Short mmCIF file of all heavy atoms in Angstrom, two decimals:
data_model
loop_
_atom_site.label_atom_id
_atom_site.label_comp_id
_atom_site.label_asym_id
_atom_site.label_seq_id
_atom_site.Cartn_x
_atom_site.Cartn_y
_atom_site.Cartn_z
N VAL A 19 0.84 -1.20 0.00
CA VAL A 19 -0.01 0.01 -0.01
C VAL A 19 0.86 1.24 -0.01
O VAL A 19 0.64 2.22 -0.75
CB VAL A 19 -0.97 0.00 1.22
CG1 VAL A 19 -1.60 1.34 1.42
CG2 VAL A 19 -2.00 -1.09 1.05
N VAL A 20 1.89 1.24 0.85
CA VAL A 20 2.76 2.44 0.90
C VAL A 20 3.56 2.60 -0.41
O VAL A 20 3.70 3.71 -0.92
CB VAL A 20 3.74 2.29 2.13
CG1 VAL A 20 4.81 3.36 2.09
CG2 VAL A 20 2.98 2.37 3.40
N PHE A 21 3.97 1.48 -0.99
CA PHE A 21 4.69 1.55 -2.27
C PHE A 21 3.79 2.08 -3.37
O PHE A 21 4.28 2.80 -4.24
CB PHE A 21 5.27 0.19 -2.65
CG PHE A 21 6.06 0.22 -3.95
CD1 PHE A 21 7.32 0.79 -4.00
CD2 PHE A 21 5.49 -0.25 -5.15
CE1 PHE A 21 8.02 0.85 -5.18
CE2 PHE A 21 6.20 -0.23 -6.31
CZ PHE A 21 7.44 0.34 -6.34
N SER A 22 2.49 1.76 -3.32
CA SER A 22 1.57 2.28 -4.35
C SER A 22 1.44 3.79 -4.28
O SER A 22 1.16 4.43 -5.30
CB SER A 22 0.21 1.62 -4.22
OG SER A 22 -0.47 2.11 -3.09
N TYR A 23 1.70 4.38 -3.10
CA TYR A 23 1.65 5.82 -2.97
C TYR A 23 3.02 6.45 -3.28
O TYR A 23 3.07 7.47 -3.97
CB TYR A 23 1.23 6.22 -1.56
CG TYR A 23 -0.21 6.13 -1.28
CD1 TYR A 23 -0.78 4.96 -0.81
CD2 TYR A 23 -1.07 7.19 -1.51
CE1 TYR A 23 -2.13 4.84 -0.54
CE2 TYR A 23 -2.43 7.09 -1.30
CZ TYR A 23 -2.94 5.92 -0.79
OH TYR A 23 -4.31 5.81 -0.56
N LEU A 24 4.10 5.88 -2.79
CA LEU A 24 5.40 6.52 -2.90
C LEU A 24 6.13 6.20 -4.23
O LEU A 24 6.85 7.01 -4.76
CB LEU A 24 6.30 6.10 -1.75
CG LEU A 24 5.91 6.58 -0.38
CD1 LEU A 24 6.88 6.06 0.65
CD2 LEU A 24 5.77 8.07 -0.32
N LYS A 25 5.96 4.97 -4.73
CA LYS A 25 6.60 4.53 -5.98
C LYS A 25 8.10 4.67 -5.97
O LYS A 25 8.73 5.03 -6.97
CB LYS A 25 6.02 5.30 -7.16
CG LYS A 25 4.51 5.07 -7.34
CD LYS A 25 3.95 6.02 -8.34
CE LYS A 25 2.48 5.83 -8.54
NZ LYS A 25 1.70 5.99 -7.33
N ASN A 26 8.70 4.37 -4.79
CA ASN A 26 10.16 4.41 -4.65
C ASN A 26 10.59 3.39 -3.61
O ASN A 26 10.23 3.52 -2.44
CB ASN A 26 10.56 5.84 -4.22
CG ASN A 26 12.04 6.01 -4.19
OD1 ASN A 26 12.79 5.15 -3.77
ND2 ASN A 26 12.50 7.18 -4.68
N LYS A 27 11.35 2.38 -4.08
CA LYS A 27 11.74 1.32 -3.15
C LYS A 27 12.61 1.79 -2.00
O LYS A 27 12.47 1.34 -0.88
CB LYS A 27 12.51 0.23 -3.92
CG LYS A 27 11.63 -0.62 -4.79
CD LYS A 27 12.47 -1.70 -5.48
CE LYS A 27 11.62 -2.52 -6.45
NZ LYS A 27 12.41 -3.53 -7.11
N GLU A 28 13.54 2.70 -2.29
CA GLU A 28 14.44 3.18 -1.23
C GLU A 28 13.65 3.89 -0.14
O GLU A 28 13.96 3.76 1.06
CB GLU A 28 15.50 4.12 -1.81
CG GLU A 28 16.55 3.39 -2.69
CD GLU A 28 16.01 3.13 -4.10
OE1 GLU A 28 15.03 3.84 -4.55
OE2 GLU A 28 16.56 2.27 -4.79
N ALA A 29 12.69 4.72 -0.55
CA ALA A 29 11.88 5.44 0.44
C ALA A 29 11.05 4.47 1.30
O ALA A 29 10.93 4.67 2.51
CB ALA A 29 10.96 6.46 -0.26
N VAL A 30 10.49 3.44 0.65
CA VAL A 30 9.69 2.47 1.43
C VAL A 30 10.58 1.73 2.42
O VAL A 30 10.23 1.55 3.60
CB VAL A 30 8.97 1.51 0.47
CG1 VAL A 30 8.32 0.37 1.23
CG2 VAL A 30 7.94 2.23 -0.39
N THR A 31 11.76 1.34 2.00
CA THR A 31 12.73 0.65 2.88
C THR A 31 13.10 1.56 4.04
O THR A 31 13.12 1.11 5.18
CB THR A 31 13.95 0.21 2.09
OG1 THR A 31 13.53 -0.60 0.99
CG2 THR A 31 14.90 -0.56 2.97
N GLU A 32 13.41 2.80 3.76
CA GLU A 32 13.80 3.76 4.81
C GLU A 32 12.65 3.98 5.79
O GLU A 32 12.85 4.03 7.01
CB GLU A 32 14.18 5.08 4.14
CG GLU A 32 14.57 6.16 5.10
CD GLU A 32 16.00 6.10 5.57
OE1 GLU A 32 16.76 5.28 5.05
OE2 GLU A 32 16.36 6.89 6.43
N LEU A 33 11.43 4.08 5.25
CA LEU A 33 10.28 4.32 6.07
C LEU A 33 10.04 3.15 7.05
O LEU A 33 9.81 3.35 8.24
CB LEU A 33 9.03 4.50 5.23
CG LEU A 33 7.69 4.74 5.91
CD1 LEU A 33 7.79 6.05 6.72
CD2 LEU A 33 6.59 4.84 4.90
N PHE A 34 10.12 1.91 6.55
CA PHE A 34 9.84 0.77 7.39
C PHE A 34 11.01 0.36 8.30
O PHE A 34 10.76 -0.12 9.41
CB PHE A 34 9.45 -0.44 6.52
CG PHE A 34 8.00 -0.38 6.07
CD1 PHE A 34 7.64 0.26 4.95
CD2 PHE A 34 7.01 -0.98 6.86
CE1 PHE A 34 6.30 0.35 4.53
CE2 PHE A 34 5.68 -0.93 6.47
CZ PHE A 34 5.35 -0.26 5.30
N ARG A 35 12.23 0.62 7.90
CA ARG A 35 13.41 0.18 8.68
C ARG A 35 13.90 1.26 9.67
O ARG A 35 14.39 0.94 10.76
CB ARG A 35 14.54 -0.22 7.80
CG ARG A 35 14.30 -1.53 7.10
CD ARG A 35 15.55 -2.03 6.46
NE ARG A 35 15.28 -3.26 5.73
CZ ARG A 35 16.04 -3.72 4.76
NH1 ARG A 35 17.11 -3.07 4.39
NH2 ARG A 35 15.72 -4.85 4.15
N VAL A 36 13.86 2.53 9.25
CA VAL A 36 14.42 3.57 10.11
C VAL A 36 13.34 4.41 10.80
O VAL A 36 13.39 4.63 12.02
CB VAL A 36 15.31 4.52 9.23
CG1 VAL A 36 15.89 5.65 10.05
CG2 VAL A 36 16.43 3.66 8.60
N VAL A 37 12.37 4.90 10.01
CA VAL A 37 11.37 5.84 10.59
C VAL A 37 10.39 5.08 11.52
O VAL A 37 10.11 5.56 12.62
CB VAL A 37 10.64 6.55 9.44
CG1 VAL A 37 9.56 7.47 9.99
CG2 VAL A 37 11.62 7.34 8.61
N ALA A 38 9.86 3.97 11.05
CA ALA A 38 8.78 3.31 11.79
C ALA A 38 9.21 2.90 13.21
O ALA A 38 8.44 3.11 14.18
CB ALA A 38 8.25 2.11 11.01
N PRO A 39 10.38 2.30 13.42
CA PRO A 39 10.76 1.98 14.82
C PRO A 39 10.89 3.17 15.72
O PRO A 39 10.63 3.09 16.91
CB PRO A 39 12.11 1.25 14.67
CG PRO A 39 12.15 0.79 13.25
CD PRO A 39 11.34 1.78 12.45
N LYS A 40 11.31 4.31 15.17
CA LYS A 40 11.51 5.48 15.94
C LYS A 40 10.20 6.17 16.37
O LYS A 40 10.13 6.78 17.43
CB LYS A 40 12.37 6.49 15.20
CG LYS A 40 13.14 7.42 16.08
CD LYS A 40 14.31 7.99 15.39
CE LYS A 40 15.15 8.78 16.34
NZ LYS A 40 16.29 9.38 15.73
N ILE A 41 9.14 5.98 15.58
CA ILE A 41 7.88 6.59 15.89
C ILE A 41 6.85 5.58 16.39
O ILE A 41 5.67 5.90 16.47
CB ILE A 41 7.29 7.34 14.69
CG1 ILE A 41 7.21 6.44 13.43
CG2 ILE A 41 8.14 8.55 14.35
CD1 ILE A 41 5.89 5.90 13.18
N ALA A 42 7.29 4.40 16.75
CA ALA A 42 6.40 3.29 17.11
C ALA A 42 5.44 3.66 18.25
O ALA A 42 4.27 3.29 18.24
CB ALA A 42 7.18 2.05 17.44
N ASP A 43 5.91 4.41 19.23
CA ASP A 43 5.10 4.71 20.40
C ASP A 43 4.32 6.01 20.30
O ASP A 43 3.55 6.36 21.17
CB ASP A 43 5.92 4.72 21.66
CG ASP A 43 7.07 5.74 21.57
OD1 ASP A 43 7.41 6.12 20.47
OD2 ASP A 43 7.62 6.14 22.62
N ARG A 44 4.53 6.73 19.20
CA ARG A 44 3.86 8.05 19.02
C ARG A 44 2.47 7.82 18.39
O ARG A 44 2.34 7.14 17.40
CB ARG A 44 4.71 8.91 18.08
CG ARG A 44 4.20 10.32 17.88
CD ARG A 44 5.13 11.12 16.99
NE ARG A 44 6.33 11.52 17.73
CZ ARG A 44 6.41 12.61 18.46
NH1 ARG A 44 5.35 13.37 18.59
NH2 ARG A 44 7.51 12.90 19.07
N PRO A 45 1.41 8.40 18.98
CA PRO A 45 0.09 8.15 18.47
C PRO A 45 -0.33 8.96 17.26
O PRO A 45 -1.43 8.82 16.76
CB PRO A 45 -0.80 8.50 19.65
CG PRO A 45 -0.03 9.51 20.40
CD PRO A 45 1.42 9.15 20.20
N GLY A 46 0.51 9.81 16.80
CA GLY A 46 0.18 10.63 15.63
C GLY A 46 1.07 11.90 15.66
O GLY A 46 1.90 12.08 16.54
N GLY A 47 0.88 12.79 14.69
CA GLY A 47 1.66 14.01 14.67
C GLY A 47 3.11 13.76 14.39
O GLY A 47 3.99 14.15 15.15
N TYR A 48 3.39 13.09 13.29
CA TYR A 48 4.75 12.69 12.96
C TYR A 48 5.53 13.76 12.27
O TYR A 48 6.77 13.69 12.17
CB TYR A 48 4.72 11.47 12.00
CG TYR A 48 3.80 10.39 12.49
CD1 TYR A 48 2.67 10.05 11.78
CD2 TYR A 48 4.07 9.67 13.66
CE1 TYR A 48 1.82 9.06 12.22
CE2 TYR A 48 3.20 8.69 14.11
CZ TYR A 48 2.04 8.38 13.38
OH TYR A 48 1.22 7.41 13.83
N THR A 49 4.88 14.80 11.78
CA THR A 49 5.56 15.88 11.04
C THR A 49 5.34 17.21 11.74
O THR A 49 4.37 17.39 12.47
CB THR A 49 5.08 15.99 9.60
OG1 THR A 49 3.66 16.18 9.58
CG2 THR A 49 5.44 14.72 8.82
N ARG A 50 6.22 18.15 11.49
CA ARG A 50 6.16 19.49 12.06
C ARG A 50 6.36 20.48 10.91
O ARG A 50 7.29 20.32 10.12
CB ARG A 50 7.24 19.67 13.13
CG ARG A 50 7.35 21.04 13.70
CD ARG A 50 8.57 21.18 14.62
NE ARG A 50 8.46 20.27 15.78
CZ ARG A 50 9.42 19.44 16.12
NH1 ARG A 50 10.53 19.37 15.46
NH2 ARG A 50 9.24 18.66 17.19
N ILE A 51 5.53 21.54 10.86
CA ILE A 51 5.70 22.58 9.85
C ILE A 51 6.15 23.86 10.56
O ILE A 51 5.51 24.32 11.47
CB ILE A 51 4.39 22.82 9.11
CG1 ILE A 51 3.94 21.59 8.35
CG2 ILE A 51 4.53 24.01 8.16
CD1 ILE A 51 2.62 21.66 7.67
N LEU A 52 7.31 24.35 10.15
CA LEU A 52 7.85 25.60 10.69
C LEU A 52 7.87 26.65 9.59
O LEU A 52 8.52 26.43 8.55
CB LEU A 52 9.28 25.39 11.18
CG LEU A 52 9.44 24.32 12.26
CD1 LEU A 52 10.92 24.02 12.49
CD2 LEU A 52 8.80 24.75 13.56
N LYS A 53 7.20 27.76 9.78
CA LYS A 53 7.11 28.80 8.76
C LYS A 53 8.43 29.57 8.75
O LYS A 53 8.95 29.95 9.78
CB LYS A 53 5.93 29.68 9.01
CG LYS A 53 4.62 28.95 8.85
CD LYS A 53 3.44 29.85 8.98
CE LYS A 53 2.16 29.01 8.79
NZ LYS A 53 0.95 29.83 8.89
N LEU A 54 8.93 29.83 7.54
CA LEU A 54 10.24 30.45 7.40
C LEU A 54 10.19 31.92 6.96
O LEU A 54 11.12 32.66 7.14
CB LEU A 54 11.11 29.69 6.38
CG LEU A 54 11.41 28.24 6.75
CD1 LEU A 54 12.18 27.60 5.64
CD2 LEU A 54 12.19 28.18 8.06
N GLY A 55 9.11 32.32 6.33
CA GLY A 55 9.02 33.68 5.83
C GLY A 55 8.67 33.62 4.38
O GLY A 55 8.02 32.69 3.88
N PHE A 56 9.06 34.67 3.63
CA PHE A 56 8.70 34.79 2.24
C PHE A 56 9.87 34.55 1.33
O PHE A 56 11.00 34.98 1.60
CB PHE A 56 8.08 36.17 1.97
CG PHE A 56 6.85 36.41 2.81
CD1 PHE A 56 6.92 37.18 3.95
CD2 PHE A 56 5.64 35.86 2.45
CE1 PHE A 56 5.80 37.38 4.75
CE2 PHE A 56 4.49 36.06 3.22
CZ PHE A 56 4.58 36.79 4.36
N ARG A 57 9.59 33.90 0.21
CA ARG A 57 10.67 33.57 -0.79
C ARG A 57 11.04 34.83 -1.54
O ARG A 57 10.20 35.66 -1.83
CB ARG A 57 10.13 32.48 -1.73
CG ARG A 57 11.16 31.80 -2.53
CD ARG A 57 10.74 30.47 -3.08
NE ARG A 57 9.44 30.49 -3.78
CZ ARG A 57 8.77 29.40 -4.01
NH1 ARG A 57 9.18 28.21 -3.64
NH2 ARG A 57 7.61 29.52 -4.63
N GLN A 58 12.31 34.94 -1.86
CA GLN A 58 12.83 36.17 -2.47
C GLN A 58 12.25 36.40 -3.89
O GLN A 58 11.83 37.48 -4.19
CB GLN A 58 14.36 36.06 -2.58
CG GLN A 58 15.03 37.31 -3.10
CD GLN A 58 14.94 38.48 -2.12
OE1 GLN A 58 14.97 38.27 -0.93
NE2 GLN A 58 14.80 39.67 -2.64
N GLY A 59 12.16 35.33 -4.69
CA GLY A 59 11.78 35.55 -6.07
C GLY A 59 10.33 35.92 -6.30
O GLY A 59 10.04 36.87 -6.99
N ASP A 60 9.40 35.16 -5.68
CA ASP A 60 7.98 35.41 -5.95
C ASP A 60 7.17 35.77 -4.74
O ASP A 60 5.97 35.97 -4.81
CB ASP A 60 7.35 34.18 -6.65
CG ASP A 60 7.48 32.91 -5.80
OD1 ASP A 60 8.11 32.99 -4.71
OD2 ASP A 60 6.93 31.90 -6.21
N GLY A 61 7.81 35.83 -3.59
CA GLY A 61 7.10 36.24 -2.38
C GLY A 61 6.22 35.17 -1.76
O GLY A 61 5.38 35.44 -0.92
N ALA A 62 6.43 33.90 -2.19
CA ALA A 62 5.61 32.81 -1.65
C ALA A 62 5.98 32.58 -0.20
O ALA A 62 7.15 32.68 0.20
CB ALA A 62 5.84 31.55 -2.47
N ASP A 63 4.97 32.22 0.61
CA ASP A 63 5.18 31.91 2.02
C ASP A 63 5.84 30.54 2.12
O ASP A 63 5.24 29.55 1.74
CB ASP A 63 3.84 31.92 2.73
CG ASP A 63 3.98 32.11 4.25
OD1 ASP A 63 5.11 32.35 4.71
OD2 ASP A 63 2.95 32.03 4.94
N THR A 64 7.05 30.45 2.64
CA THR A 64 7.78 29.18 2.68
C THR A 64 7.75 28.58 4.07
O THR A 64 7.53 29.26 5.06
CB THR A 64 9.26 29.38 2.23
OG1 THR A 64 9.88 30.31 3.12
CG2 THR A 64 9.37 29.85 0.83
N ALA A 65 7.96 27.26 4.06
CA ALA A 65 7.95 26.53 5.34
C ALA A 65 8.93 25.36 5.27
O ALA A 65 9.30 24.95 4.20
CB ALA A 65 6.54 25.99 5.59
#
Protein backbone atom coordinates (compact mmCIF):
# COMPACT_ATOMS: atom_id res chain seq x y z
CA VAL A 1 0.00 0.00 0.00
CA VAL A 2 2.78 2.42 0.92
CA PHE A 3 4.70 1.57 -2.26
CA SER A 4 1.59 2.27 -4.35
CA TYR A 5 1.66 5.83 -2.98
CA LEU A 6 5.41 6.51 -2.92
CA LYS A 7 6.59 4.53 -5.99
CA ASN A 8 10.15 4.42 -4.65
CA LYS A 9 11.74 1.30 -3.15
CA GLU A 10 14.44 3.18 -1.24
CA ALA A 11 11.88 5.44 0.44
CA VAL A 12 9.69 2.48 1.43
CA THR A 13 12.70 0.66 2.88
CA GLU A 14 13.80 3.76 4.80
CA LEU A 15 10.27 4.30 6.09
CA PHE A 16 9.84 0.76 7.40
CA ARG A 17 13.40 0.20 8.70
CA VAL A 18 14.42 3.58 10.10
CA VAL A 19 11.38 5.82 10.59
CA ALA A 20 8.78 3.30 11.80
CA PRO A 21 10.76 1.96 14.81
CA LYS A 22 11.52 5.49 15.96
CA ILE A 23 7.87 6.60 15.89
CA ALA A 24 6.38 3.31 17.11
CA ASP A 25 5.09 4.70 20.42
CA ARG A 26 3.87 8.04 19.00
CA PRO A 27 0.07 8.14 18.48
CA GLY A 28 0.19 10.66 15.63
CA GLY A 29 1.65 14.02 14.67
CA TYR A 30 4.74 12.68 12.95
CA THR A 31 5.56 15.88 11.06
CA ARG A 32 6.15 19.49 12.06
CA ILE A 33 5.70 22.57 9.86
CA LEU A 34 7.85 25.59 10.69
CA LYS A 35 7.12 28.78 8.76
CA LEU A 36 10.25 30.46 7.41
CA GLY A 37 9.01 33.67 5.82
CA PHE A 38 8.68 34.79 2.23
CA ARG A 39 10.65 33.56 -0.77
CA GLN A 40 12.83 36.16 -2.47
CA GLY A 41 11.78 35.53 -6.08
CA ASP A 42 7.99 35.41 -5.97
CA GLY A 43 7.10 36.24 -2.37
CA ALA A 44 5.62 32.82 -1.66
CA ASP A 45 5.19 31.92 2.02
CA THR A 46 7.79 29.19 2.67
CA ALA A 47 7.94 26.52 5.34
